[in-house]
């Protein structure tokens, strides 16, 4: 069966912007619940400045614990520069993701570098990661629109994608950081990109700000893409990109893919346990567009099973 590969980015993209401090134990437990649901790949944390993102300050503590408890889980971490790579490697990370935005201003706001410097630093980080034997991903962020500069030129997205590929990135992650893309744009941009990037190295990362996350994911599937980032419960958003809301929810993506005949290896019932746990952590209700319905279905099945057991 045709398979969709999902990287759950909730532990990083989901938590980085949350005001409530989440303990390392709790992050580890969330990752354990994701793995128990069948998620095979997560973005666990980021090695960024703790001043910029206090929630990720425990990255060096979290990574070895995840690696010890879940050695089979593909665990990636975001790094903005060589210092982040050095810290990630020392902590035992096996995969890193560099984050290059496709506009000058977004790079400045996010990582305090201009576009050219950010590109060069990303290249150096990829080269060094390769030398250290790590797997790599490269985000091309604000690949549709930038919150500061408006629509991002397709030519910039393809140019930066080519530079990241040439620098050895194992996977290119085309990110709709503020969730402004529409399915037609996804079709067009991925149509241009798949001429340049082998499909098994091309991933997409959507946010659901305008309720188009699933539609955009469908457009990406139709374009041949099978690698997706998503966040359980739909939690997420970049603190440095105004207007960015939560990510495409993993449960919405799984439901859409499975109902369309694609396999994800992920159990929706078990994913709901991870959503419920994230709700207790963040003390608010979470979940993608499908969560209420999924919960109802599960409750109905549980009632039926209980009735059968007592019959
Ligand atoms: N991890 C931890 N600390 C880091 C670091 C990293 N990857 N990179 C730099 N630092 C530290 C430096 O050691 C220095 O520390 P000091 O003040 O104690 O001497 C301080 O941060 C400033 O270093 P500098 O190189 O001047 O960085 P900067 O102030 O220009 O900030 C980044 C650049 C990239 C470190 C910062 O903007 C950042 O962490 N951004 C992350 C953004 C993010 O996570 N966005 C969401 C995900 S896309
Ligand atoms: Zn994101």
């Amino acid at each position: 069966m045709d398979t969709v590969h999902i990287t759950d980015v909730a532990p990083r993209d989901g938590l980085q912007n949350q005001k409530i401090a989440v303990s390392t134990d709790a992050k580890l437990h969330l990752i354990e619940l994701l793995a128990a649901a069948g998620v095979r790949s997560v973005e666990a944390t980021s090695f960024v400045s703790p001043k910029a993102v206090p929630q990720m300050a425990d990255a060096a503590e979290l990574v070895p614990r995840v690696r010890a408890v879940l050695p089979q889980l593909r665990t990636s971490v975001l790094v903005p520069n060589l210092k982040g790579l050095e810290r990630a490697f020392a902590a035992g990370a096996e995969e890193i993701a560099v984050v290059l935005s496709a506009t000058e201003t977004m790079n400045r706001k996010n990582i305090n570098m201009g576009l050219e410097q950010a590109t060069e630093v990303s290249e150096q980080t990829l080269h060094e990661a390769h030398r250290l034997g790590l797997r790599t991903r490269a985000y091309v962020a604000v690949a549709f629109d930038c919150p500061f500069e408006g629509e991002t030129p397709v030519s910039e997205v393809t140019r930066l994608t080519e530079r990241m590929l040439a620098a050895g990135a194992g996977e290119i992650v085309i990110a709709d950081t503020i969730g402004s893309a529409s399915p037609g744009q996804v079709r067009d941009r991925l149509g241009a990109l798949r001429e340049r990037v082998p499909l098994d190295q091309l991933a997409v990362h959507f946010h659901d700000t305008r309720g188009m996350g699933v539609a955009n994911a469908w457009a990406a599937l139709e374009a041949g893409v099978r690698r997706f980032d998503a966040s359980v419960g739909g939690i997420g958003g970049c603190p440095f990109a105004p207007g960015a809301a939560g990510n495409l929810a993993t449960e919405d993506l799984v439901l859409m893919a499975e109902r369309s005949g694609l396999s994800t290896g992920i159990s929706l019932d078990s994913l709901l346990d991870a959503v419920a746990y994230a709700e207790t952590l963040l003390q608010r209700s979470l979940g993608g567009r499908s969560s209420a319905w999924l919960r109802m279905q599960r409750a109905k099945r549980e009632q039926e099973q209980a009735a059968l057991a007592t019959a």
Side-chain angles (χ1 to χ4, degrees), residues 18-104:
Q18 304 297 331
K19 289 189 182 65
I20 294 175
V22 178
S23 71
T24 312
D25 283 348
K27 289 172 186 171
L28 179 64
H29 189 55
L30 178 64
I31 293 170
E32 285 177 316
L33 289 172
L34 291 171
V39 171
R40 291 190 205 96
S41 171
V42 297
E43 189 168 81
T45 183
S46 58
F47 287 84
V48 298
S49 158
K51 280 183 207 138
V53 187
Q55 187 74 263
M56 300 285 111
D58 63 347
E61 200 190 319
L62 179 63
V63 167
R65 293 183 64 188
V66 175
R67 303 277 312 127
V69 180
L70 299 162
Q72 308 298 337
L73 183 69
R74 186 174 161 187
T75 305
S76 182
V77 299
L78 184 145
V79 304
N81 55 15
L82 284 165
K83 167 141 192 184
L85 171 63
E86 199 181 289
R87 291 177 60 218
F89 183 68
E94 287 194 331
E95 177 165 17
I96 57 104
V98 296
V99 54
L100 174 62
S101 298
T103 65
E104 177 73 19

Side-chain angles (χ1 to χ4, degrees), residues 31-257:
I31 293 170
E32 285 177 316
L33 289 172
L34 291 171
V39 171
R40 291 190 205 96
S41 171
V42 297
E43 189 168 81
T45 183
S46 58
F47 287 84
V48 298
S49 158
K51 280 183 207 138
V53 187
Q55 187 74 263
M56 300 285 111
D58 63 347
E61 200 190 319
L62 179 63
V63 167
R65 293 183 64 188
V66 175
R67 303 277 312 127
V69 180
L70 299 162
Q72 308 298 337
L73 183 69
R74 186 174 161 187
T75 305
S76 182
V77 299
L78 184 145
V79 304
N81 55 15
L82 284 165
K83 167 141 192 184
L85 171 63
E86 199 181 289
R87 291 177 60 218
F89 183 68
E94 287 194 331
E95 177 165 17
I96 57 104
V98 296
V99 54
L100 174 62
S101 298
T103 65
E104 177 73 19
T105 318
M106 190 64 226
N107 281 301
R108 291 207 179 278
K109 300 277 182 188
N110 194 37
I111 56 174
N112 197 26
M113 298 173 210
L115 176 57
E116 186 50 33
Q117 191 193 354
T119 308
E120 284 165 18
V121 167
S122 296
E123 286 170 336
Q124 287 160 7
T125 307
L126 289 170
H127 285 137
E128 181 61 12
H130 192 252
R131 198 185 65 77
L132 294 168
L134 307 188
R135 287 174 84 160
T136 57
R137 312 177 89 206
Y139 280 103
V140 178
V142 298
F144 293 87
D145 293 283
C146 170
F148 307 103
E149 296 189 20
E151 188 172 349
T152 305
V154 183
S155 55
E156 277 301 271
V157 179
T158 51
R159 182 178 74 82
L160 297 169
T161 294
E162 280 170 349
R163 287 210 30 194
M164 293 300 98
L165 260 189
E171 209 172 286
I172 303 292
V173 191
I174 299 300
D176 180 18
T177 309
I178 58 170
S180 67
S182 66
Q185 287 175 308
V186 171
R187 179 198 55 212
D188 293 348
R189 292 195 174 210
L190 293 177
L193 286 162
R194 73 177 169 209
E195 308 281 306
R196 296 164 167 87
V197 190
L199 273 177
D200 64 351
Q201 284 180 266
L202 188 58
V204 286
H205 174 114
F206 293 122
H207 284 254
D208 207 12
T209 315
R210 304 187 191 179
M212 284 196 221
V214 161
N216 288 336
W218 179 252
L221 279 173
E222 289 272 274
V225 172
R226 294 292 180 270
R227 299 186 175 274
F228 290 80
D229 283 3
S231 171
V232 74
I235 43 174
C238 175
F240 309 102
N247 290 59
L248 167 62
T250 309
E251 56 272 29
D252 290 352
L253 177 61
V254 170
L255 181 65
M256 185 270 274

